Amino acid sequence: MLAGKRILLIIGGGIAAYKSLDLIRQYRKAGAAVVPVLTRAGQEFVTPLSVAALATEKVHTDLFDLTSEAEMGHIQLSRAADLVVVAPATADLIGKMATGLANDLATTLLMATDKRVLIAPAMNVRMWDHPATQRNMSVLRGDGMSVVGPDSGDMACGEYGPGRMAEPAAIVDATADLLASGPLRGRHVIVTSGPTHEPIDPVRYIANRSSGAQGTALAGALAALGARVSFVTGPASVPPPPGVDVIAVETACEMLAAVQGALPADAAVFAAAVADWRMAEARAQKLKKAGNGALPVLQFAENPDILATVAQMDHGRPPLVIGFAAETENVIAHATAKRARKGCDWIVANDVSPATGIMGGSDNTVTLISDTGPEPWPSLSKTEVARRLAARIAEALA
């Protein structure tokens, strides 16, 4: 699937660097050539000899290699690859990338490249959650870099949480998706997915019954057609697909901010089941039973309308804005009215009555509503619905 492709692999200095050896092996098994760049810190975890043996290529380590730099080697390295992959991308390396530093071979290559960049973050959970790291990641996503991972799990330091480097197989899959030639190559699509969780107190929240399966399938289908996908997801029960830029959120307000931060885009698809209301003021402490039968009074506020906000933008509106309408009665009439009210181009309508099994199920029955009227689709798997919709988006943007 990667036959003939050339990957420039930058190996950062973290314990996850040991996975880079298996990553090289899997790249070569998939038919790609790997040109390795090993940072000084990376050499503390894996040796140039082991990297070179697996890659069967010279390992590049020094910006001031006189032989290479006489021929402007760092420029040639950065331009000769089909894709630049940074794995592991440590907090330090991410910070340097976000601020534009170029004080060693790896960061100079990243500044000089005209190719797409895929980064696989790897660090301690506290470092990943730190505001500086999240700020730096937002900058890199805004610069158009793609991200795979990090995963959650046990860490070498003994802690548990997000920060583990994505497994080599997932990085290879993300690489294949990025390099896939397709009708959406060079296009940027935003996809929202999953429910939102609106806190009532520290242990309770308001949510919708959404697994995120349809939005996840759509994001993967768009990436497979070559699109750069910004995947803004609430706390879904299904994992995000490989090869997309994952932006995790909890609430509707966070989702709107993430969507606005991901703009501009060629298309935006709002598949998330956003809660219509939130608490006017979430309680700081857990609500307790009064003991006398009295019920707590909850005051609600209306959440922002993310679809309408983007569809009705005066400047920077994506050329194609698509909403989803999950209805339980009068599906076509309600969805058609919703399209007109929100100002979007298409609405994907479906009946989510409990008897349909669509919410949380593997199949879906949708009707695509556009300015030409309703177009019913047969009952299909959510994967096939995603493929069909992605193909229609590609046609519309052609």
Side-chain angles (χ1 to χ4, degrees), residues 2-21:
L2 291 174
K5 300 298 184 182
R6 191 171 179 84
I7 308 298
L8 181 63
L9 175 63
I10 296 174
I11 303 172
I15 186 60
Y18 81 90
K19 290 185 179 180
S20 65
L21 301 178

Side-chain angles (χ1 to χ4, degrees), residues 184-219:
L184 289 175
R185 186 176 180 85
R187 299 288 194 171
H188 177 211
V189 183
I190 298 170
V191 178
T192 69
S193 183
T196 62
H197 286 181
E198 312 296 335
I200 296 173
D201 61 23
V203 298
R204 303 179 180 93
Y205 58 82
I206 304 165
N208 286 333
R209 298 178 186 274
S210 171
S211 65
Q214 187 63 82
T216 297
L218 179 58

Side-chain angles (χ1 to χ4, degrees), residues 52-71:
L54 288 168
T56 65
E57 292 268 359
K58 175 184 176 181
V59 178
H60 301 272
T61 59
D62 190 359
L63 176 62
F64 300 105
D65 182 316
L66 294 180
T67 302
S68 295
E69 289 310 305
E71 301 171 350

Side-chain angles (χ1 to χ4, degrees), residues 9 39 77 102 110 132 141-142 150 176 178 184 200 211 227 230 276 278 294 307 310 325-327 332 339:
L9 175 63
T39 66
L77 279 175
L110 288 162
R141 289 190 179 101
L178 283 172
L184 289 175
I200 296 173
S211 65
S230 293
D276 291 322
R278 68 183 186 276
L307 172 59
V310 175
E327 304 290 348
I332 303 304
R339 175 179 173 268

Side-chain angles (χ1 to χ4, degrees), residues 67 124 266 272 293 337 354-355 370:
T67 302
N124 169 268
D266 297 287
S370 66

